[in-house]
Amino acid sequence: MTNEEPLPKKVRLSESDMKTLTREELCVRWKQHEAYVQVLEVKYADLNSNDVTGLKESEEKLKQQQQEASRRENILVMRLATKEQEMQECTTQIQYLKQVQQPSAAQLRSSMVDPAINLFFLKMKGELEQTKDKLEQAQNELSAWKFTPDRGPEGVGTVPEEVVTSETDMPPLPLSAEARQLPY
């Protein structure tokens, strides 16, 4: 049907019309009713086809969205797995570094027995004794002079108790260059 033709109207027949109308009039009304039913069927088919195509389109869009969501989920799961693996590797590396930093008892014993380390300890012991001798000589030389805060040195004599310091009051002496190069 084209848009120019008038739309058929619903045909209503009562029982009295059925008894009074002639056969030809009934046939005309029947044809009008058939045209009306055909128009309704065409409209129904159009609506159904629009609904079906709309449903198919929305179903396709939904499938695409689900595929995109699952793809994103897979990407995120892969990233998470990668991060967990990196974290596990870092944890393993940290544990290894902690173990390496803490020498075991066997390593300490072997380092004590090592002749090179023993030589270093002997050198350090000799330097320490030399330093103690120099300190004692310096203290003996200082004890020969008497210092007062207002006059300075007063010649050879005894040093007052408050000026004399013990070895424990002295700041530590700087280590020699060889002693500073030791790994300890």
Side-chain angles (χ1 to χ4, degrees):
M1 291 192 95
T2 62
N3 291 337
E4 296 172 4
E5 294 179 22
L7 293 175
K9 295 182 180 179
K10 185 175 182 182
V11 178
R12 294 183 188 246
L13 293 173
S14 64
E15 281 191 39
S16 62
D17 288 338
M18 294 287 275
K19 291 179 183 175
T20 58
L21 291 176
T22 64
R23 185 171 193 209
E24 290 146 11
E25 291 175 335
L26 278 175
C27 286
V28 169
R29 296 256 177 118
W30 181 261
K31 288 180 184 176
Q32 290 174 349
H33 182 67
E34 284 291 316
Y36 177 72
V37 168
Q38 280 183 342
V39 167
L40 289 178
E41 286 177 348
V42 168
K43 285 183 180 180
Y44 180 74
D46 286 345
L47 286 175
N48 275 344
S49 67
N50 287 341
D51 286 347
V52 169
T53 55
L55 287 175
K56 286 181 181 179
E57 288 175 2
S58 63
E59 183 181 359
E60 289 176 19
K61 287 179 183 178
L62 182 62
K63 284 181 182 179
Q64 289 175 352
Q65 289 174 351
Q66 287 176 342
Q67 289 173 348
E68 181 69 22
S70 66
R71 187 180 66 82
R72 286 182 182 171
E73 181 182 4
N74 289 339
I75 289 172
L76 291 174
V77 166
M78 287 174 37
R79 283 184 183 173
L80 179 64
T82 304
K83 293 292 182 185
E84 286 178 352
Q85 183 179 3
E86 288 175 3
M87 190 172 69
Q88 185 65 31
E89 289 172 0
C90 288
T91 304
T92 304
Q93 190 175 12
I94 288 171
Q95 289 174 350
Y96 172 74
L97 290 174
K98 283 182 180 179
Q99 288 176 352
V100 169
Q101 284 181 345
Q102 295 176 351
S104 65
Q107 288 174 331
L108 288 175
R109 279 190 211 110
S110 68
S111 65
M112 294 262 209
V113 177
D114 189 5
I117 294 178
N118 189 27
L119 180 65
F120 278 124
F121 280 125
L122 290 175
K123 276 188 172 183
M124 286 177 21
K125 186 176 180 182
E127 288 178 5
L128 181 62
E129 288 174 4
Q130 288 176 357
T131 307
K132 282 183 179 179
D133 290 340
K134 287 180 184 178
L135 176 65
E136 190 176 324
Q137 287 175 358
Q139 283 181 344
N140 288 339
E141 289 176 8
L142 282 176
S143 66
W145 295 90
K146 182 178 182 182
F147 290 97
T148 59
D150 55 342
R151 290 184 289 179
E154 281 191 13
V156 179
T158 61
V159 178
E161 283 284 324
E162 59 269 332
V163 176
V164 176
T165 59
S166 67
E167 272 186 48
T168 56
D169 294 341
M170 297 287 293
L173 294 175
L175 295 175
S176 68
E178 291 175 348
R180 277 187 259 139
Q181 291 178 355
L182 290 176
Y184 297 103

